[in-house]
Structure formats: structure tokens, C-alpha cells
Amino acid sequence: MPDAMTQPHDDDDVAVTTTTPGKIIAVHLNYRSRAAERGRTPSQPSYFLKPSSSVSSTNGVVERPAGAELLGFEGEVALIIGSPARRVDVDDAWNHVSGVTAANDLGLYDLRAADAGSNVRSKGGDGFTPLGPTVIAAEGLDPAGLRLRTWLNGELVQEDVTSELLFPFARLVADLSQLLTLEPGDVILTGTPAGASVAVPGDRLEVEVDAPDAPGAPSSGRLVTTVTQGDIPFSEVGARPRVDDAQRADAWGSRAKAGLDAPFELTPQLVERITSVSTATLSAVLRKRGHDQVSIDGLRSNRPQTQLVGRARTLRYVAAREDLFASAGGGFNAQKRAIESIAPGEVLVIEARGELHAGTVGDILALRAQVRGAVGIVTDGAVRDAVAVAALDIPTYSAAAHPAVLGRRHVPWDIDQTITCGGCAVQPGDVIVGDADGLLVIPPFLVEEVVTAAIEQEREEVFIAEMVAAGNPIETLYPMDAAWRERYREWRGDE
């Protein structure tokens, strides 16, 4: 935090100067609106520590690490301690605060399970505590008369006032001072109101604290932070990111905001955007986000000129055994049930264990899938009637061709379960994308973000290719350094 982060709030105030804090103490839950949102109201304040190395200033960037999904933001009022406080009374506590400013308490929900409440890694990353840009002097300021606002990409998403705190500022200072000495420059993050949510790469976050009813309406100014995407995944030396739907709902603020109550829809417009980029670009973007195990390997398309985009419908075969085939292989078996229930826009994905010595689907059933609206078939086994299947309108990806019926090696076992195809896990509803280079599996929650990034990456590559064709060397151009990126912005027409 810069030394010159100051702002007096009337003519008699002395400018407040702050330096990197010795310690940062954050309150877990402190606004009535947030307590209502969380469904619990604490009777006493509770706290956690953030390292001083997490501090950054306005107009900085914060990285969402590769493999992480849920970077949460929380606009807060930060108290800056001006004089030592040890065992101070509530009535005297505010006198030990030199000023207030805006803060953004950033953190990764993906690491909360590993932290078990300590928040060391989930809240302590570099840049996870932006502060500033200026400090409002505390002297003469009504601590219950502040307003806190947060914007996400220009949209106001948080707004509350400090008269709605569960635990007023003075109480926090007095409580903490019972056991530890608060020293000049220490920072207390005083909690976030309702509306805290998740930011993704490219988002712009702004937080402001002001006192609209005080003389001169002093303000901290807007604390601006831009989210970027990291490209270095977590190693095995510590806990890796892990999320589930409960964490997603908690991070976004509700199941609806997390997209858990509304089904994901692969609209024609989204399909068009996906087909505008290659699987090579999509793969690179997914890898930057820590998703490197998303390719279905070892398969080739019988229509490589046709792109494939659809939702996965899964079918699993188990190894042939006479008694199992007798009970599950005949009649209206799992294979036929999958074909007869496939919906328009779906891709039939078959787990055949990489077994190449029997067919997994032939021309009649492939034609039936096409008539029902399937957009493709994917199998890590073999295809029968390969020429007839290749003549269909929909592409089929397979590992081989073989004339034998499936009963030679397979028993159709179940449908609509998580399967492994070509070494990749596939869940029903996953988005399957294929072209001449191969096949990718994209979890639905990542599709919009990944496609947006892929379109931008291909745009950058068009520029780089033009510059290379014009005779420029690739050093500093691929990847682009700051100078080339500025030229790219000019080429793109950015203001």
C-alpha cells in the first residue's frame, strides 16, 4: 500500500499516511444482510489472519491460479490502526483508529476444504488484499455513517452502511485488544455485506468507502482490481483445488447465481461461437485453467471436415461374459435404449475399454441416432459397417473398424453414468467438441468462459501471424511483450 495513500475529510484534518501493515485481521461475518444471506447470525465476532504479502494497491491485478474455479470477492471497510491498542475499552477504541479505506477481501473457495477454517492459502495469496486508494481520516468521522459499495464490471453488486453492522468498529478493536496489541499500521477488515460473489478472468472489480453525510462527503476513491488467469497449475506438494456444488452455491451467493438451478443450454448461438475456434485453441485455454485431462485420445473422425459440438449421452459396455450377455445383452438392451432415447443435439459417447476386436455400433443404429437428432457418435472401440457409417451426415469418432458384432467382446451394460472414453472421464451433459485434431470434453460450467478466452486467443494469433508474415521475428512477439500487446490493442481498434 503506497505511503501517499491519504485524504483529509475537512480542512482541519491531518493527512493520514499508511505503510504495509504488520498484520491484517479479518472478521468472518459482520453485516446483517450477509448474515441473512448466510442463514446464521453469530453472537460474537470471530476472526482470521491474512499475511501482509497479500496487500496490493489500486489498479493492480489478481491472478486466479490454473485449476481454480471460484475466486470470491468481498468489498469491505478497512480500519487502519494509528496508535497502539492493548486492553482498551469500547468507549476509547475508536481513538486508536487513524483512518478507514476500501478493501477487497479476495479468496479461493477451491482451497477452503484444505484450510479447514484457517484461510491461510484460500485468503492469503499474493494480491488477495487490495487496499486504497486513499484513506479517510478517522478523527471527527462517525464510524456508523459510512457507506460501502462494490462494482463488478461497472454493475453495482454490493451496497450497505456501517449502521447495519452486527459488531461496530469500536467493539472489534476492543475485543481484539484483549489478547494482542494492535500496532500502528495494522489493518482490520470489518466484514462484507450481501452480494459478495465470484469473479472470473477479465473481470474488473471496484470498491469504494465514503461518508456521504459527513462534511465534504469524503471518499476512499475507487479501489480497482482486474482479474487475470494464471497458467501455472498447483503441484502435488500441497492440497489441490477442489469444489462441489455446495461450494459453488456458497461462493456465488446462491444456487441460482451459480447456475445450479437452471439447466445449462447449448444454444445455437453458443454452438456457433464454439465452432468458430479450433480444438487446439480450446485445449490451450483449458490447460491454462488447470484442465489438462479433457481430451478423448486415440480416436479419429470418419468426417474430419465436419466439426462436432454437442452434449454427451453416455453408454457403457463391460467385457463380454456369457452369463452377463445372456441376461443383459439381448432384447432392448442398454445400447438400444441409448439410441432410442437420444435427443437432438446430443453426442452418443461409448465406453468400450479401448477394445478393438468387435464393433460397438453399426450403420443401422448409427442411422437411427442421426434420425433422432444426434450430432455425433464417439467410441473408444471399433465401428462396424465403416463405409456406410462414414456416409452418414453426422461424424463418428472411433479407434478402429471391425466386422464382428459387439457380443464378441462386449456386453451393453448401462447408460447415463459417468464413463471413461479414450482415457477421459465423461459425464452426461458434458460438452463434446471435435474436429480433425481430436476431441475435447468441456464441463458445462466452464464453456462460456473458455470459449470467450479462445476467441480472443485466436484473434491474437491472427495478429501475430500477420506480424510474422510481415517479417517480424517471434522473439517478444510470440508470446507478446508489453510493446507488442500495445500494438495489438491498436490493431484491434481499442480506444
Side-chain angles (χ1 to χ4, degrees):
M1 192 159 56
D3 288 344
M5 195 177 72
T6 64
Q7 177 173 314
H9 70 269
D10 64 37
D11 293 340
D12 297 326
D13 281 331
V14 177
V16 180
T17 301
T18 62
T19 58
T20 301
K23 53 185 173 286
I24 305 165
I25 305 170
V27 181
H28 278 113
L29 192 59
N30 198 21
Y31 280 84
R32 299 182 193 278
S33 62
R34 183 68 162 172
E37 191 177 58
R38 288 298 200 216
R40 58 186 177 87
T41 302
S43 59
Q44 299 291 343
S46 61
Y47 313 91
F48 61 93
L49 288 168
K50 299 190 76 171
S52 59
S53 56
S54 69
V55 170
S56 62
S57 56
T58 193
N59 297 318
V61 297
V62 62
E63 177 187 293
R64 190 186 71 175
E69 174 190 338
L70 303 175
L71 176 65
F73 66 85
E74 299 178 0
E76 305 203 10
V77 178
L79 307 184
I80 300 169
I81 299 300
S83 60
R86 179 72 165 107
R87 295 196 176 104
V88 300
D89 295 330
V90 171
D91 292 342
D92 180 47
W94 182 246
N95 294 326
H96 294 268
V97 176
S98 63
V100 300
T101 193
N104 197 338
D105 182 17
L106 296 158
L108 291 171
Y109 280 75
D110 313 62
L111 296 176
R112 289 178 69 180
D115 273 356
S118 74
N119 290 332
V120 171
R121 294 174 75 218
S122 62
K123 291 273 195 174
D126 289 351
F128 278 22
T129 314
L131 297 172
T134 57
V135 172
I136 305 171
E139 185 179 359
L141 189 69
D142 178 7
L146 300 179
R147 176 176 60 175
L148 170 66
R149 291 178 292 175
T150 305
W151 293 262
L152 173 63
N153 298 323
E155 178 185 354
L156 183 65
V157 292
Q158 288 186 288
E159 183 172 12
D160 216 326
V161 291
T162 52
S163 59
E164 291 298 309
L165 292 175
L166 295 169
F167 312 112
F169 296 154
R171 179 172 174 179
L172 301 177
V173 173
D175 179 28
L176 289 166
S177 75
Q178 293 184 87
L179 289 171
L180 52 90
T181 299
L182 297 174
E183 299 168 316
D186 286 350
V187 170
I188 302 174
L189 305 183
T190 58
T192 196
S197 191
V198 171
V200 300
D203 281 350
R204 176 185 171 96
L205 297 163
E206 298 172 89
V207 185
E208 182 180 4
V209 173
D210 65 354
D213 297 326
S219 168
S220 67
R222 291 200 184 185
L223 171 67
V224 179
T225 306
T226 301
V227 182
T228 62
Q229 176 60 53
D231 56 10
I232 301 175
F234 285 89
S235 72
E236 300 291 346
V237 298
R240 296 169 68 89
R242 187 181 72 195
V243 297
D244 54 24
D245 284 352
Q247 287 281 53
R248 291 186 178 100
D250 196 29
W252 284 95
S254 70
R255 288 184 59 83
K257 290 180 181 178
L260 300 174
D261 289 335
F264 169 81
E265 184 179 0
L266 191 59
T267 64
Q269 294 80 9
L270 183 53
V271 170
E272 183 178 357
R273 295 178 66 216
I274 295 171
T275 56
S276 73
V277 294
S278 68
T279 57
T281 303
L282 291 169
S283 177
V285 171
L286 283 161
R287 193 174 194 280
K288 288 178 181 178
R289 282 152 176 77
H291 291 264
D292 205 20
Q293 310 300 320
V294 289
S295 62
I296 300 177
D297 295 333
L299 312 187
R300 288 293 179 265
S301 174
N302 61 5
R303 296 177 62 84
Q305 75 280 9
T306 303
Q307 289 180 289
L308 170 64
V309 178
R311 305 292 299 278
R313 186 70 185 278
T314 59
L315 167 63
R316 182 168 71 102
Y317 295 159
V318 298
R321 205 176 82 183
E322 289 78 2
D323 58 323
L324 297 181
F325 195 89
S327 62
F332 196 55
N333 59 29
Q335 180 199 49
K336 293 177 181 177
R337 293 199 306 274
I339 295 292
E340 285 299 328
S341 60
I342 201 162
E346 291 185 331
V347 179
L348 180 63
V349 184
I350 303 171
E351 176 185 337
R353 310 173 316 285
E355 172 57 62
L356 307 183
H357 298 99
T360 57
V361 68
D363 61 339
I364 298 298
L365 293 184
L367 174 61
R368 179 58 179 160
Q370 176 180 295
V371 169
R372 286 193 55 83
V375 294
I377 297 172
V378 175
T379 173
D380 63 355
V383 169
R384 294 181 69 225
D385 311 309
V387 172
V389 172
L392 297 175
D393 294 334
I394 62 174
T396 293
Y397 288 76
S398 63
H402 200 282
V405 296
L406 66 83
R408 183 169 188 256
R409 288 286 191 266
H410 306 292
V411 180
W413 195 250
D414 54 17
I415 63 175
D416 299 330
Q417 302 295 320
T418 299
I419 63 170
T420 300
C421 181
C424 183
V426 182
Q427 293 194 300
D430 281 344
V431 175
I432 308 299
V433 182
D435 60 17
D437 281 350
L439 289 157
L440 294 175
V441 179
I442 308 179
F445 71 85
L446 270 178
V447 170
E448 183 63 41
E449 178 185 334
V450 166
V451 172
T452 298
I455 291 172
E456 175 60 19
Q457 179 169 316
E458 290 206 345
R459 203 178 188 185
E460 292 180 3
E461 290 173 356
V462 168
F463 168 77
I464 292 169
E466 286 187 11
M467 296 302 104
V468 171
N472 292 285
I474 61 172
E475 186 179 3
T476 73
L477 172 60
Y478 187 58
M480 291 185 283
D481 64 9
W484 275 113
R485 190 156 292 280
E486 181 59 32
R487 289 185 62 179
Y488 167 67
R489 284 192 285 267
E490 294 172 1
W491 174 86
R492 196 175 61 178
D494 288 0
E495 294 182 359

